Amino acid sequence: MKRTLYPKLVAAWLFFSVMSFISVATITSGLIDKHLIKTKTEGMYREANVIAAGRLAQNYGESASPQEIYTNLLAIASCQSMHIWLMDDGGQILIDTDTGYDPTQIRQLDAFDPTALSGNYYQTGRFFHYFEEDMLSVVAPISSNYTTKGYIAIHYEQSKVESEKNAILNSSYITLALILLLSLIVMAAFTLIVFLPIRRIIRGADEYAAGNLNYKIPVESGDEIGYLAASMNYMAGEINKAGEYQRKFVSNISHDFRSPLTSIKGYVEAMLDGTIPAEMQEKYLKIVLSETERLTKLTKGLLTLNNFDDKGTYLELSDFDINETVRQTVETFRSQCWDKHISFQLTFEEESLFVSADMSKIQQVLYNLIDNAVKFSFPNSCIYISTLEKREKVFVSVKDTGEGIPKDSINKIWERFYKSDPSRGKDKKGTGLGLSIVREIIQAHNENINVVSTKGVGTEFTFSLARSKKH
C-alpha cells in the first residue's frame, strides 16, 4: 500500500507558502498601493485648498510679495517632500518651490487645460507632459468673487509612493516568512503527535494481519490516538485469547470425545474377536451404552452453547412456581443419592413463589447445579436448597457440604470444559459444560449468578430471577 499522508501534508504546506507569497505580492501590494495613494492625495488636496484659500495666495501681486509667498510655500514643500506651484489662470508657473524663485524664469505650461482637472481631485502621470516621471498631482483654484485668479498645484513623485509600498511589503514578507517558519512547529508537532503514532498503529495492524497478535503498539498518549492504540492492543489481546480458547476448546473436546470412543471401540473389538466371552457381553454392552449416553450429553451441551453464541437464546417466558420446580427437579436425583446417602433440605420462604422466566431452561439450571452438588458432596451429607423473595427478585440457592472449589479455580469454573481436577475431575463422566450452560441461561434472563466456596467445606450457588407481577 502506498502511504502518501505525510508527502501530501508537506505538499499542502508548500502550496500554502507559495500562494501566500503570491497573495502578498499581488493582492496585498495592490491594496497597499491604493491606500498610500489615497492617503497621500487626500492630504495633498487638503493642503492645496488651505494654501489657495490663504491670505498669501489671495493677495498675490497686491499686499503679498512673491518672495514672501515663495518662502512660505518652500517651508511647506520641504516639510512634506512635495513640489508646490503657484500658477496664474493662463497656465504660467509663477512660483516653483523645486527650482527657486526667479521672476525672470517664469515658465508657461502650454498643454495646461483647467477643464481636464474636473472629475477627479487628483491626477497621476506627468502633469500635462511637464515632468519626466510619473507624479501624483492635485490642483486647487485660487478664487475671489467667483473668479479664478490662479491655481495651487502640489506634486509628489510616484516613485516615492512605490518606495513606501515596497518598504511595507518587505515587512509583510518578513512577517509572512516568520509565520511560515512558525507553522513548521505545527508540522513538527503533527509529526510527533499524529503522524508517527499513526505509523506505529499501521505497523501494529500489519503485525496483527501477519498473525503476530502478541505485538504491542508503543503509543501511550492520553488523546484519541492513544485510545485507538490501546483499543487495538486490547482487541489483539482478546483475539489472541480467543485463539487460545479455540485451541483449548479443540483440545478439550477432542479429549472428551476420544475417551468414550476409545472405550466403545475397544469393547466392541473385544466382543467381535472373542476376547470377551458371550456370557460377559451384556456387562460390557452396558458400559458401551453408558459411553454413548455420555457422548450424547456432550453433543447436546455443545449444541445448547452454540445456540447462545450465535444469537443468544429464545426465551419462552411464563409465570410458574419456582418452589414446585425445585421439588420436581430434586425428585429426579433421589435414586442417585441413595447410594451415597445424600439427603436434601428444602427451605422456602413461602409455600408458593412465582417467577417470570423460561421454565424449561430454569429446570436445566437447577438440574445442572444439583447434579454438581451431588457429584462433589461427601457421603452421608446434605444438600440445602432455598428460595426467598427480596426487592421484586427471587433468589434461589443450591448449597452442598462437599469438596469445595479451590480459590484459584473460582473464576474459571464458568469456562467451557473446565474441571478443577487436573486429571479431568473425579467424575470422569462430566463434560465440563454444565456451569457454562447455567451462566448463559441466567444471563439470557438478564439476571446474575454467584458462587461462594471453601475448600473441604462446600459450595453455594445463588442465582436471581424476576418475581412474577401477576401473583
Side-chain angles (χ1 to χ4, degrees):
M1 179 184 68
K2 187 177 181 181
R3 300 186 175 104
T4 59
L5 177 60
Y6 200 71
K8 285 180 179 179
L9 183 65
V10 173
W13 182 84
L14 291 174
F15 177 77
F16 171 76
S17 302
V18 172
M19 293 305 297
S20 297
F21 274 105
I22 292 175
S23 297
V24 170
T26 56
I27 299 174
T28 305
S29 176
L31 292 174
I32 293 174
D33 192 51
K34 288 181 179 179
H35 173 74
L36 290 176
I37 291 176
K38 179 181 179 183
T39 303
K40 195 68 181 176
T41 54
E42 285 179 350
M44 292 166 59
Y45 189 69
R46 285 195 300 270
E47 191 69 40
N49 279 284
V50 169
I51 295 172
R55 178 184 61 82
L56 293 177
Q58 291 287 332
N59 296 325
Y60 175 74
E62 298 175 4
S63 61
S65 68
Q67 183 63 43
E68 183 183 4
I69 295 174
Y70 170 75
T71 303
N72 283 274
L73 292 181
L74 181 61
I76 297 172
S78 299
C79 180
Q80 301 190 25
S81 301
M82 300 182 297
H83 307 285
I84 302 178
W85 293 353
L86 174 62
M87 304 171 59
D88 64 13
D89 58 350
Q92 285 187 331
I93 304 174
L94 304 177
I95 296 176
D96 183 353
T97 60
D98 193 41
T99 60
Y101 174 68
D102 186 356
T104 64
Q105 297 294 327
I106 296 175
R107 288 159 291 170
Q108 175 68 40
L109 193 63
D110 296 328
F112 180 69
D113 181 8
T115 60
L117 301 174
S118 61
N120 196 2
Y121 68 91
Y122 75 93
Q123 289 82 37
T124 60
R126 302 193 177 186
F127 198 71
F128 302 103
H129 311 292
Y130 180 84
F131 295 102
E132 295 181 356
E133 62 175 314
D134 289 340
M135 307 287 284
L136 294 177
S137 303
V138 297
V139 177
I142 302 172
S143 300
S144 178
N145 298 322
Y146 303 103
T147 302
T148 301
K149 299 167 55 179
Y151 299 93
I152 294 294
I154 299 179
H155 311 285
Y156 188 81
E157 291 92 338
Q158 223 171 325
S159 59
K160 292 182 178 180
V161 176
E162 191 72 20
S163 298
E164 292 178 26
K165 180 187 74 172
N166 290 334
I168 296 174
L169 277 178
N170 289 336
S171 299
S172 300
Y173 286 131
I174 294 172
T175 303
L176 178 61
L178 290 174
I179 291 173
L180 293 175
L181 287 175
L182 290 174
S183 69
L184 291 176
I185 298 176
V186 178
M187 287 275 290
F190 173 84
T191 302
L192 294 175
I193 299 173
V194 179
F195 180 71
L196 292 180
I198 288 178
R199 287 287 297 273
R200 297 189 190 106
I201 291 174
I202 291 173
R203 181 180 177 184
D206 291 339
E207 292 288 339
Y208 299 150
N212 182 14
L213 296 176
N214 292 317
Y215 181 83
K216 295 295 182 183
I217 300 174
V219 178
E220 298 178 355
S221 60
D223 53 19
E224 290 82 355
I225 294 179
Y227 177 78
L228 175 61
S231 298
M232 291 189 67
N233 285 334
Y234 175 78
M235 176 193 70
E238 291 300 306
I239 294 175
N240 197 26
K241 286 180 183 178
E244 291 177 0
Y245 169 77
Q246 186 177 23
R247 290 189 291 271
K248 184 179 179 181
F249 176 84
V250 173
S251 175
N252 289 335
I253 196 173
S254 298
H255 181 281
D256 282 355
F257 271 95
R258 184 175 64 248
S259 296
L261 288 173
T262 301
S263 297
I264 293 171
K265 180 176 181 292
Y267 290 135
V268 171
E269 287 178 346
M271 284 185 281
L272 289 175
D273 62 18
T275 303
I276 298 176
E279 61 272 13
M280 296 182 64
Q281 289 182 2
E282 182 179 354
K283 172 186 175 182
Y284 290 99
L285 284 174
K286 289 181 179 179
I287 296 176
V288 170
L289 179 61
S290 175
E291 293 296 304
T292 57
E293 289 175 349
R294 179 182 170 189
L295 288 174
T296 300
K297 184 178 179 182
L298 178 60
T299 304
K300 184 178 179 181
L302 288 172
L303 290 173
T304 299
L305 288 173
N306 186 63
N307 288 334
F308 282 102
D309 289 341
D310 286 345
K311 36 189 164 181
T313 183
Y314 176 73
L315 299 177
E316 296 181 359
L317 298 179
S318 63
D319 296 330
F320 61 92
D321 185 0
I322 187 65
N323 295 345
E324 182 60 29
T325 304
V326 170
R327 294 188 190 98
Q328 293 174 2
T329 307
V330 166
E331 288 302 318
T332 62
F333 289 90
R334 291 295 185 186
S335 59
Q336 185 178 340
C337 293
W338 286 341
D339 295 336
K340 296 179 69 174
H341 302 285
I342 296 174
S343 61
F344 289 92
Q345 180 176 321
L346 308 182
T347 304
F348 301 141
E349 187 181 51
E350 301 176 19
E351 182 63 27
S352 297
L353 192 55
F354 284 83
V355 297
S356 178
D358 188 315
M359 183 175 179
S360 64
K361 289 183 172 56
I362 297 303
Q363 283 177 325
Q364 187 174 5
V365 169
L366 289 169
Y367 183 90
N368 289 355
L369 293 178
I370 296 172
D371 185 47
N372 269 4
V374 172
K375 289 176 186 176
F376 297 102
S377 288
F378 296 124
N380 301 308
S381 62
C382 183
I383 296 175
Y384 302 90
I385 304 177
S386 64
T387 63
L388 63 90
E389 187 266 338
K390 188 176 182 181
R391 291 193 294 271
E392 301 301 320
K393 295 284 186 181
V394 173
F395 295 89
V396 182
S397 170
V398 178
K399 179 181 179 181
D400 64 61
T401 53
E403 300 173 7
I405 304 172
K407 286 185 178 180
D408 59 352
S409 298
I410 286 290
N411 295 327
K412 300 177 182 178
I413 61 174
W414 310 109
E415 297 177 8
R416 300 175 187 184
F417 295 105
Y418 179 79
K419 295 183 180 179
S420 59
D421 191 331
S423 65
R424 302 291 297 159
K426 293 183 178 181
D427 176 25
K428 303 294 183 181
K429 295 182 180 179
T431 64
L433 298 175
L435 291 179
S436 297
I437 295 173
V438 165
R439 185 179 65 170
E440 294 290 349
I441 291 175
I442 296 302
Q443 288 182 345
H445 284 79
N446 294 320
E447 300 294 340
N448 298 309
I449 181 167
N450 299 309
V451 58
V452 177
S453 183
T454 303
K455 184 68 176 176
V457 177
T459 303
E460 180 179 12
F461 288 90
T462 303
F463 64 90
S464 62
L465 293 172
R467 174 71 188 268
S468 173
K469 297 180 180 180
K470 298 181 180 178
H471 296 82

